[in-house]
Amino acid sequence: MKISFFAASKFYQMQICKTKLELKQILEPFIREGKLIGFVPTMGALHLGHLSLIEESVKINDITISSVFVNPTQFNNSDDLDKYPSDLEKDVAMLALKGCDYVFAPNADEMYPEKDERQFYFDGIETRMEGEHRPWHFNGVAQIVSKLFAAVPATNAYFGLKDFQQLAIIKHLVKQLSLDINIVSCPTIREKDGLAMSSRNLLLKKEFRKQAPLIYSVLKEVKSKSNHESVEKIKEFVETTFGNHELLKLEYFDIVDDTMLKPIDTFSKEQTSIGCIAVWAGEVRLIDNIQINL
Ligand code: AMP
Protein backbone atom coordinates (compact mmCIF):
# COMPACT_ATOMS: atom_id res chain seq x y z
CA MET A 1 0.00 0.00 0.00
CA LYS A 2 1.30 3.44 -0.94
CA ILE A 3 0.51 6.57 1.05
CA SER A 4 1.04 10.10 -0.22
CA PHE A 5 0.21 13.42 1.36
CA PHE A 6 1.00 17.12 1.42
CA ALA A 7 2.15 18.74 4.65
CA ALA A 8 3.82 22.14 5.09
CA SER A 9 3.81 22.52 1.28
CA LYS A 10 5.88 19.38 0.77
CA PHE A 11 4.84 16.13 -0.88
CA TYR A 12 5.46 12.92 1.09
CA GLN A 13 5.25 9.40 -0.19
CA MET A 14 5.85 6.09 1.50
CA GLN A 15 5.04 2.45 0.91
CA ILE A 16 3.84 0.03 3.58
CA CYS A 17 4.65 -3.66 3.14
CA LYS A 18 3.05 -6.40 5.15
CA THR A 19 4.93 -9.42 3.81
CA LYS A 20 8.55 -10.47 3.33
CA LEU A 21 7.79 -11.35 -0.28
CA GLU A 22 6.46 -7.88 -1.03
CA LEU A 23 9.52 -6.37 0.61
CA LYS A 24 11.84 -8.65 -1.35
CA GLN A 25 10.27 -7.58 -4.64
CA ILE A 26 10.60 -3.92 -3.72
CA LEU A 27 14.20 -4.21 -2.60
CA GLU A 28 15.51 -6.32 -5.51
CA PRO A 29 16.19 -3.43 -7.93
CA PHE A 30 17.93 -1.41 -5.19
CA ILE A 31 20.16 -4.36 -4.31
CA ARG A 32 20.95 -4.98 -8.00
CA GLU A 33 22.03 -1.38 -8.40
CA GLY A 34 24.18 -1.51 -5.25
CA LYS A 35 22.18 1.20 -3.48
CA LEU A 36 22.84 1.95 0.19
CA ILE A 37 19.98 0.59 2.27
CA GLY A 38 19.36 2.02 5.74
CA PHE A 39 17.26 0.03 8.19
CA VAL A 40 15.63 1.13 11.46
CA PRO A 41 13.87 -1.68 13.36
CA THR A 42 11.25 -0.53 15.89
CA MET A 43 8.30 -1.79 17.87
CA GLY A 44 6.22 1.24 16.95
CA ALA A 45 4.56 3.86 19.21
CA LEU A 46 7.20 6.09 17.72
CA HIS A 47 8.70 9.16 19.36
CA LEU A 48 11.53 11.55 18.57
CA GLY A 49 14.11 8.98 19.72
CA HIS A 50 13.05 6.59 16.95
CA LEU A 51 12.83 9.44 14.47
CA SER A 52 16.41 10.47 15.24
CA LEU A 53 17.49 7.06 13.91
CA ILE A 54 15.48 7.66 10.74
CA GLU A 55 17.16 11.06 10.33
CA GLU A 56 20.59 9.44 10.62
CA SER A 57 19.68 6.83 8.04
CA VAL A 58 18.17 9.29 5.57
CA LYS A 59 21.38 11.37 5.67
CA ILE A 60 23.61 8.74 4.11
CA ASN A 61 21.54 5.93 2.58
CA ASP A 62 19.79 5.86 -0.80
CA ILE A 63 16.68 4.37 0.75
CA THR A 64 15.48 3.98 4.33
CA ILE A 65 13.26 1.19 5.61
CA SER A 66 11.77 1.03 9.07
CA SER A 67 10.04 -1.96 10.56
CA VAL A 68 7.18 -1.70 13.02
CA PHE A 69 6.62 -4.99 14.77
CA VAL A 70 5.90 -5.71 18.42
CA ASN A 71 7.90 -8.88 18.82
CA PRO A 72 6.09 -11.33 21.12
CA THR A 73 9.15 -13.51 21.80
CA GLN A 74 11.04 -10.78 23.63
CA PHE A 75 8.30 -10.22 26.24
CA ASN A 76 8.53 -12.50 29.25
CA ASN A 77 5.17 -11.36 30.53
CA SER A 78 2.01 -11.49 28.42
CA ASP A 79 0.48 -8.55 30.32
CA ASP A 80 3.45 -6.37 29.30
CA LEU A 81 2.94 -7.44 25.67
CA ASP A 82 -0.82 -6.72 25.81
CA LYS A 83 -0.23 -3.27 27.28
CA TYR A 84 2.49 -2.28 24.81
CA PRO A 85 1.24 0.88 23.04
CA SER A 86 0.60 0.82 19.31
CA ASP A 87 -0.64 3.29 16.69
CA LEU A 88 0.46 2.27 13.22
CA GLU A 89 -1.35 5.07 11.43
CA LYS A 90 0.43 7.72 13.48
CA ASP A 91 3.77 5.89 13.15
CA VAL A 92 3.41 5.78 9.37
CA ALA A 93 2.73 9.52 9.17
CA MET A 94 5.73 10.32 11.40
CA LEU A 95 8.02 8.09 9.34
CA ALA A 96 6.87 9.62 6.06
CA LEU A 97 7.48 13.14 7.36
CA LYS A 98 11.07 12.15 8.21
CA GLY A 99 11.73 10.85 4.72
CA CYS A 100 11.49 7.12 5.41
CA ASP A 101 10.77 5.34 2.10
CA TYR A 102 9.29 1.99 3.20
CA VAL A 103 7.66 0.61 6.31
CA PHE A 104 7.68 -3.10 6.93
CA ALA A 105 4.75 -3.86 9.27
CA PRO A 106 4.24 -7.63 9.30
CA ASN A 107 1.92 -9.54 11.60
CA ALA A 108 3.12 -12.24 14.00
CA ASP A 109 2.30 -15.12 11.60
CA GLU A 110 4.42 -13.51 8.91
CA MET A 111 7.46 -13.36 11.20
CA TYR A 112 6.79 -16.60 13.07
CA PRO A 113 5.06 -19.02 10.66
CA GLU A 114 6.31 -21.66 13.07
CA LYS A 115 7.67 -21.53 16.61
CA ASP A 116 11.24 -20.27 16.70
CA GLU A 117 13.21 -22.75 18.81
CA ARG A 118 16.61 -21.12 18.26
CA GLN A 119 18.70 -20.31 21.29
CA PHE A 120 21.38 -17.66 21.15
CA TYR A 121 24.37 -17.14 23.44
CA PHE A 122 26.50 -14.04 23.54
CA ASP A 123 29.41 -14.87 25.87
CA GLY A 124 27.29 -14.13 28.94
CA ILE A 125 26.21 -10.62 27.90
CA GLU A 126 22.67 -11.96 27.52
CA THR A 127 22.50 -13.10 31.16
CA ARG A 128 23.51 -9.89 32.93
CA MET A 129 21.34 -6.90 33.95
CA GLU A 130 18.32 -6.94 31.57
CA GLY A 131 19.04 -10.62 30.88
CA GLU A 132 18.93 -11.47 34.58
CA HIS A 133 15.67 -9.62 35.20
CA ARG A 134 13.98 -10.50 31.92
CA PRO A 135 15.02 -14.10 31.23
CA TRP A 136 15.04 -14.99 27.51
CA HIS A 137 14.38 -11.35 26.57
CA PHE A 138 17.55 -11.12 24.50
CA ASN A 139 16.90 -14.50 22.93
CA GLY A 140 13.66 -13.03 21.57
CA VAL A 141 15.53 -9.92 20.43
CA ALA A 142 18.10 -12.05 18.61
CA GLN A 143 15.35 -14.15 17.02
CA ILE A 144 13.49 -11.18 15.59
CA VAL A 145 16.54 -9.14 14.61
CA SER A 146 18.04 -12.10 12.75
CA LYS A 147 14.72 -12.57 10.91
CA LEU A 148 14.49 -8.86 10.11
CA PHE A 149 18.09 -8.81 8.87
CA ALA A 150 17.24 -11.77 6.61
CA ALA A 151 14.27 -9.82 5.21
CA VAL A 152 16.12 -6.50 4.87
CA PRO A 153 19.63 -6.81 3.44
CA ALA A 154 20.66 -3.49 4.96
CA THR A 155 23.94 -1.71 4.40
CA ASN A 156 23.51 0.20 7.66
CA ALA A 157 21.18 -0.62 10.56
CA TYR A 158 20.47 1.95 13.26
CA PHE A 159 20.02 1.26 16.97
CA GLY A 160 19.74 3.50 20.01
CA LEU A 161 22.28 3.68 22.84
CA LYS A 162 19.23 4.00 25.11
CA ASP A 163 19.13 0.18 24.93
CA PHE A 164 22.86 -0.22 25.44
CA GLN A 165 22.82 -3.92 26.27
CA GLN A 166 20.59 -4.68 23.28
CA LEU A 167 23.03 -2.82 21.05
CA ALA A 168 25.95 -4.91 22.39
CA ILE A 169 23.94 -8.09 21.74
CA ILE A 170 23.11 -7.01 18.18
CA LYS A 171 26.77 -6.26 17.41
CA HIS A 172 27.61 -9.79 18.60
CA LEU A 173 24.72 -11.26 16.60
CA VAL A 174 25.97 -9.66 13.38
CA LYS A 175 29.43 -11.17 14.00
CA GLN A 176 28.00 -14.60 14.87
CA LEU A 177 25.88 -14.69 11.70
CA SER A 178 28.71 -13.19 9.59
CA LEU A 179 26.36 -10.54 8.27
CA ASP A 180 27.69 -7.68 6.19
CA ILE A 181 25.60 -5.07 8.00
CA ASN A 182 27.12 -2.00 9.60
CA ILE A 183 25.56 -1.34 13.01
CA VAL A 184 25.27 2.37 13.75
CA SER A 185 24.86 3.47 17.39
CA CYS A 186 22.75 6.58 17.93
CA PRO A 187 22.60 8.81 21.03
CA THR A 188 19.71 8.72 23.49
CA ILE A 189 17.10 11.41 22.86
CA ARG A 190 15.56 12.82 26.02
CA GLU A 191 12.58 14.86 27.10
CA LYS A 192 13.37 18.41 28.24
CA ASP A 193 13.43 17.24 31.86
CA GLY A 194 16.00 14.52 31.06
CA LEU A 195 13.76 11.46 30.96
CA ALA A 196 14.92 9.17 28.14
CA MET A 197 12.20 8.98 25.49
CA SER A 198 10.52 5.58 25.44
CA SER A 199 7.28 4.18 24.07
CA ARG A 200 6.57 3.01 27.62
CA ASN A 201 6.51 6.63 28.88
CA LEU A 202 2.99 6.79 27.43
CA LEU A 203 1.93 4.28 30.07
CA LEU A 204 3.23 6.32 33.02
CA LYS A 205 0.60 7.67 35.40
CA LYS A 206 0.93 11.40 36.08
CA GLU A 207 2.56 11.15 39.50
CA PHE A 208 5.15 8.65 38.23
CA ARG A 209 5.86 10.71 35.10
CA LYS A 210 6.61 13.67 37.38
CA GLN A 211 9.19 11.70 39.37
CA ALA A 212 10.75 9.77 36.47
CA PRO A 213 13.38 12.43 35.53
CA LEU A 214 15.13 11.52 38.80
CA ILE A 215 16.56 8.52 36.92
CA TYR A 216 18.69 10.64 34.62
CA SER A 217 19.55 13.14 37.40
CA VAL A 218 20.96 10.25 39.41
CA LEU A 219 22.90 8.96 36.39
CA LYS A 220 24.43 12.40 35.85
CA GLU A 221 25.44 12.50 39.49
CA VAL A 222 26.98 9.03 39.11
CA LYS A 223 29.09 10.37 36.27
CA SER A 224 30.29 13.39 38.21
CA LYS A 225 31.05 11.26 41.30
CA SER A 226 33.12 8.84 39.21
CA ASN A 227 36.07 11.30 39.31
CA HIS A 228 36.51 11.01 43.03
CA GLU A 229 34.40 8.16 44.45
CA SER A 230 34.68 4.38 44.30
CA VAL A 231 32.31 2.16 42.32
CA GLU A 232 31.10 0.69 45.61
CA LYS A 233 30.28 4.10 47.13
CA ILE A 234 28.49 5.20 43.97
CA LYS A 235 26.35 2.06 43.97
CA GLU A 236 25.46 2.73 47.59
CA PHE A 237 24.46 6.28 46.66
CA VAL A 238 22.11 5.03 43.92
CA GLU A 239 20.62 2.32 46.13
CA THR A 240 20.01 4.77 48.98
CA THR A 241 18.47 7.40 46.70
CA PHE A 242 15.90 4.97 45.34
CA GLY A 243 15.62 3.01 48.60
CA ASN A 244 14.20 6.15 50.20
CA HIS A 245 11.96 7.05 47.28
CA GLU A 246 8.22 6.85 47.64
CA LEU A 247 7.32 6.04 44.03
CA LEU A 248 10.36 4.86 42.09
CA LYS A 249 11.73 1.41 42.86
CA LEU A 250 15.22 0.40 41.78
CA GLU A 251 15.46 -2.97 40.05
CA TYR A 252 19.19 -2.82 39.41
CA PHE A 253 22.04 -0.40 38.99
CA ASP A 254 25.37 -1.63 37.71
CA ILE A 255 28.55 -0.14 36.37
CA VAL A 256 29.92 -2.31 33.59
CA ASP A 257 32.61 -2.22 30.92
CA ASP A 258 31.38 -1.08 27.52
CA THR A 259 32.23 -4.21 25.52
CA MET A 260 31.39 -7.37 27.48
CA LEU A 261 29.20 -5.50 29.99
CA LYS A 262 30.89 -7.15 32.98
CA PRO A 263 30.54 -5.32 36.30
CA ILE A 264 33.67 -3.34 37.17
CA ASP A 265 35.15 -2.85 40.66
CA THR A 266 37.25 0.22 39.94
CA PHE A 267 37.22 2.99 37.36
CA SER A 268 40.18 3.27 35.03
CA LYS A 269 41.29 5.81 32.44
CA GLU A 270 41.79 3.02 29.89
CA GLN A 271 38.29 1.57 30.14
CA THR A 272 35.05 3.31 29.24
CA SER A 273 32.33 2.17 31.60
CA ILE A 274 28.57 2.46 31.52
CA GLY A 275 26.22 3.01 34.41
CA CYS A 276 23.05 1.02 33.64
CA ILE A 277 19.80 1.31 35.55
CA ALA A 278 16.32 -0.18 35.58
CA VAL A 279 13.60 1.40 37.70
CA TRP A 280 9.94 0.57 38.26
CA ALA A 281 7.67 3.60 38.08
CA GLY A 282 4.43 1.97 39.20
CA GLU A 283 3.68 -0.74 36.64
CA VAL A 284 6.08 0.68 34.10
CA ARG A 285 9.69 -0.42 33.87
CA LEU A 286 12.14 2.22 32.68
CA ILE A 287 15.77 1.72 31.69
CA ASP A 288 18.53 4.21 31.05
CA ASN A 289 22.32 4.42 31.06
CA ILE A 290 25.22 6.85 31.04
CA GLN A 291 28.71 6.60 29.61
CA ILE A 292 31.56 7.21 32.07
CA ASN A 293 35.03 8.20 30.85
CA LEU A 294 37.59 9.38 33.40
P1 AMP B 1 11.88 0.10 20.38
O1 AMP B 1 10.76 0.51 19.49
O2 AMP B 1 11.75 0.55 21.79
O3 AMP B 1 12.24 -1.36 20.23
O4 AMP B 1 13.16 0.90 19.86
C1 AMP B 1 13.56 0.85 18.52
C2 AMP B 1 14.91 1.50 18.40
O5 AMP B 1 14.84 2.86 18.84
C3 AMP B 1 15.99 0.82 19.27
O6 AMP B 1 17.20 0.79 18.56
C4 AMP B 1 16.06 1.73 20.46
O7 AMP B 1 17.29 1.68 21.14
C5 AMP B 1 15.84 3.08 19.80
N1 AMP B 1 15.38 4.07 20.78
C6 AMP B 1 14.36 3.93 21.66
N2 AMP B 1 14.28 5.01 22.45
C7 AMP B 1 15.26 5.86 22.06
C8 AMP B 1 15.70 7.15 22.49
N3 AMP B 1 15.11 7.79 23.49
N4 AMP B 1 16.75 7.71 21.85
C9 AMP B 1 17.36 7.07 20.83
N5 AMP B 1 17.00 5.85 20.38
C10 AMP B 1 15.98 5.25 20.99
Side-chain angles (χ1 to χ4, degrees):
M1 183 179 64
K2 227 177 207 153
I3 60 148
S4 324
F5 57 90
F6 273 106
S9 44
K10 252 182 101 178
F11 183 65
Y12 298 91
Q13 213 177 22
M14 197 174 58
Q15 195 162 340
I16 305 163
C17 317
K18 293 276 183 192
T19 67
K20 288 176 276 182
L21 180 64
E22 205 185 334
L23 191 62
K24 191 170 178 233
Q25 287 163 349
I26 288 168
L27 292 180
E28 250 161 20
F30 294 107
I31 296 164
R32 220 181 306 122
E33 290 167 29
K35 299 282 191 201
L36 300 181
I37 301 175
F39 180 38
V40 180
T42 81
M43 296 210 298
L46 301 185
H47 50 67
L48 294 178
H50 297 112
L51 298 183
S52 71
L53 312 190
I54 301 286
E55 278 171 12
E56 284 307 305
S57 173
V58 167
K59 270 188 214 161
I60 68 154
N61 296 286
D62 296 306
I63 59 163
T64 292
I65 303 159
S66 182
S67 58
V68 174
F69 178 66
V70 182
N71 174 39
T73 70
Q74 71 189 68
F75 287 79
N76 35 359
N77 166 339
S78 60
D79 194 36
D80 191 23
L81 172 62
D82 293 343
K83 279 195 302 200
Y84 201 83
S86 96
D87 189 344
L88 185 60
E89 219 172 291
K90 189 169 162 212
D91 291 344
V92 163
M94 288 166 93
L95 290 168
L97 287 169
K98 284 287 166 195
C100 180
D101 301 288
Y102 299 97
V103 178
F104 179 45
N107 63 23
D109 287 340
E110 180 66 13
M111 294 317 287
Y112 295 98
E114 52 195 49
K115 195 162 183 249
D116 194 339
E117 305 278 6
R118 289 175 300 162
Q119 292 189 6
F120 293 84
Y121 300 94
F122 300 102
D123 296 330
I125 301 180
E126 76 283 5
T127 59
R128 296 191 256 286
M129 299 190 293
E130 288 300 287
E132 190 184 336
H133 294 275
R134 302 180 70 190
W136 296 103
H137 166 65
F138 287 124
N139 204 62
V141 169
Q143 286 177 347
I144 191 60
V145 173
S146 61
K147 281 169 179 277
L148 289 170
F149 282 169
V152 183
T155 322
N156 298 299
Y158 296 78
F159 292 88
L161 282 161
K162 150 87 171 39
D163 300 286
F164 187 81
Q165 196 172 1
Q166 170 174 281
L167 187 53
I169 296 268
I170 287 163
K171 285 181 184 163
H172 272 68
L173 177 73
V174 164
K175 270 198 205 146
Q176 269 181 21
L177 301 178
S178 306
L179 298 175
D180 195 13
I181 297 178
N182 178 40
I183 302 299
V184 184
S185 318
C186 301
T188 301
I189 305 298
R190 300 179 178 281
E191 302 289 352
K192 279 204 184 84
D193 58 15
L195 177 65
M197 288 192 182
S198 163
S199 308
R200 290 177 197 274
N201 293 354
L202 291 171
L203 304 173
L204 285 170
K205 294 209 174 99
K206 214 169 160 189
E207 66 271 29
F208 292 100
R209 173 62 189 84
K210 234 172 145 180
Q211 298 298 322
L214 178 69
I215 300 168
Y216 188 51
S217 308
V218 165
L219 287 179
K220 282 193 293 186
E221 209 156 330
V222 163
K223 191 179 168 102
S224 73
K225 281 177 184 289
S226 65
N227 286 317
H228 54 277
E229 282 191 25
S230 68
V231 169
E232 201 185 330
K233 272 253 169 277
I234 291 176
K235 281 187 175 174
E236 266 172 38
F237 153 72
V238 176
E239 280 157 19
T240 315
T241 306
F242 287 100
N244 294 333
H245 201 277
E246 225 181 302
L247 293 178
L248 303 178
K249 301 286 160 234
L250 182 68
E251 186 167 85
Y252 68 79
F253 170 72
D254 237 321
I255 302 179
V256 299
D257 74 76
D258 71 339
T259 43
M260 295 310 293
L261 281 68
K262 282 193 182 152
I264 61 157
D265 299 324
T266 47
F267 294 112
S268 108
K269 283 203 163 61
E270 286 72 48
Q271 175 69 65
T272 299
S273 50
I274 314 285
C276 298
I277 196 165
V279 168
W280 283 97
E283 314 243 293
V284 184
R285 189 173 178 277
L286 301 171
I287 60 168
D288 202 347
N289 64 77
I290 197 158
Q291 185 174 321
I292 303 168
N293 289 307
L294 288 195

